Amino acid sequence: MRKSGSIFGVLFSDGEEELYSDLAYTPERIAELTTILNDIVYYFEQEKRDPDTLAFSYDGGNLMILLKDGLRLVVLHHNADEADFIASAAGAFLKDYRMGRAIASFEQNGVAEVPESTPPPARVAEPTRKTDPTQPIAPAVT
């Protein structure tokens, strides 16, 4: 997934436990990002909302956060047009990871902790044209 599109950083965690990071940041900055993620998750819990994907733009890039059963996958990328493609790829990664955990649990305990059933994600085509994310959005052509 790291080599898809304009992705330039990935942080994967289970709750507050960092499982993988290839962010080009210092450990202190990653800890700060994790604290901000905790605050975002806490906010939505207090509002009794359960989003699975959050996307933000900031000066210099885009940030996508996927949340599923305590797992958090943060993807930093340059091209805002790739958001749907990245969300699809990241969702597939989380599904595969959860299935791998269920299989490992079964092999270890003889009982699988089966993840909840979710419908397969819609197939999203990779963007075919590059656009400038600073330009206004053009109206849809029907």
Side-chain angles (χ1 to χ4, degrees):
M1 192 179 100
R2 173 69 164 87
K3 296 178 182 175
S4 300
S6 65
I7 294 174
F8 64 92
V10 175
L11 173 65
F12 182 45
S13 63
D14 188 352
E16 296 192 23
E17 177 189 358
E18 181 183 311
L19 300 175
Y20 175 81
S21 173
D22 75 345
L23 299 176
Y25 300 136
T26 63
E28 293 79 22
R29 201 148 175 220
I30 293 173
E32 183 180 348
L33 176 61
T34 303
T35 300
I36 292 168
L37 289 174
N38 293 339
D39 291 345
I40 290 170
V41 170
Y42 178 75
Y43 168 79
F44 281 105
E45 287 174 352
Q46 295 305 306
E47 295 294 318
K48 302 204 184 329
R49 297 172 64 193
D50 189 25
D52 58 358
T53 306
L54 302 169
F56 304 95
S57 288
Y58 64 93
D59 187 27
N62 300 283
L63 170 84
M64 182 172 296
I65 307 168
L66 283 89
L67 306 163
K68 187 66 177 171
D69 299 331
L71 297 173
R72 298 176 189 170
L73 182 60
V74 178
V75 181
L76 302 171
H77 61 103
H78 290 292
N79 192 346
D81 290 343
E82 296 175 336
D84 290 336
F85 172 73
I86 291 170
S88 176
F93 168 80
L94 286 177
K95 184 176 180 180
D96 290 347
Y97 180 82
R98 291 172 61 228
M99 187 58 67
R101 275 200 326 196
I103 291 169
S105 171
F106 180 75
E107 288 175 345
Q108 186 177 34
N109 304 323
V111 177
E113 295 175 14
V114 180
E116 68 184 55
S117 175
T118 57
R123 178 109 173 115
V124 177
E126 190 168 345
T128 56
R129 65 183 174 101
K130 303 292 183 190
T131 58
D132 182 359
T134 62
Q135 295 298 315
I137 298 173
V141 178
T142 58

